[in-house]
Amino acid sequence: MIRQEWKYPREDIVELRDRFNSLEDKVRQIEDQLNLEQPYSLTATQQRFSEETYRVVCISKFLNYCRVRCPPSICNFYVEQLITAESINWRRNLYCNSQ
């Protein structure tokens, strides 16, 4: 009897093994989704989105401050500087992400 079960495992043991393997696969998938090292994981995407949102909010606040407190010529100068800086930053990110 024991020898037969050793050669042919019981159905409940086989099912338990399959369920355990399935859970291991799901845990691996969740680890990948939460891994900051993976460029398209949920956490990495959320972090990039947060950084971009923060940058946009800072630029918006600065421009509003500039409009209220600075003469138009200085405000236009700052706007041009920001556009140039953002353009350089965009190109740098594009280059870095392509490698």
Side-chain angles (χ1 to χ4, degrees):
M1 179 84 176
I2 294 176
R3 181 172 289 206
Q4 181 183 6
E5 288 183 8
W6 180 258
K7 288 182 179 180
Y8 307 104
R10 296 184 340 212
E11 287 182 31
D12 58 341
I13 301 296
V14 172
E15 181 184 346
L16 185 61
R17 186 183 303 144
D18 289 342
R19 290 175 68 189
F20 182 78
N21 289 336
S22 173
L23 286 173
E24 277 186 325
D25 291 340
K26 289 178 183 179
V27 167
R28 267 192 229 106
Q29 289 174 351
I30 292 171
E31 284 176 343
D32 287 342
Q33 289 178 350
L34 297 177
N35 186 359
L36 273 173
E37 302 295 321
Q38 301 288 336
Y40 296 106
S41 68
L42 293 173
T43 51
T45 303
Q46 180 64 31
Q47 185 176 6
R48 283 193 307 271
F49 180 76
S50 296
E51 290 168 358
E52 182 66 26
T53 302
Y54 178 75
R55 187 165 68 231
V56 167
V57 167
C58 287
I59 289 171
S60 176
K61 284 184 176 184
F62 175 75
L63 290 176
N64 286 335
Y65 175 83
C66 184
R67 281 191 203 110
V68 170
R69 304 211 190 268
C70 298
S73 61
I74 294 176
C75 187
N76 290 339
F77 170 77
Y78 284 130
V79 169
E80 288 176 13
Q81 294 297 317
L82 279 171
I83 290 171
T84 303
E86 284 299 306
S87 173
I88 290 170
N89 190 28
W90 180 78
R91 282 182 286 200
R92 185 181 316 125
N93 286 339
L94 185 64
Y95 176 75
C96 291
N97 290 337
S98 67
Q99 292 184 350

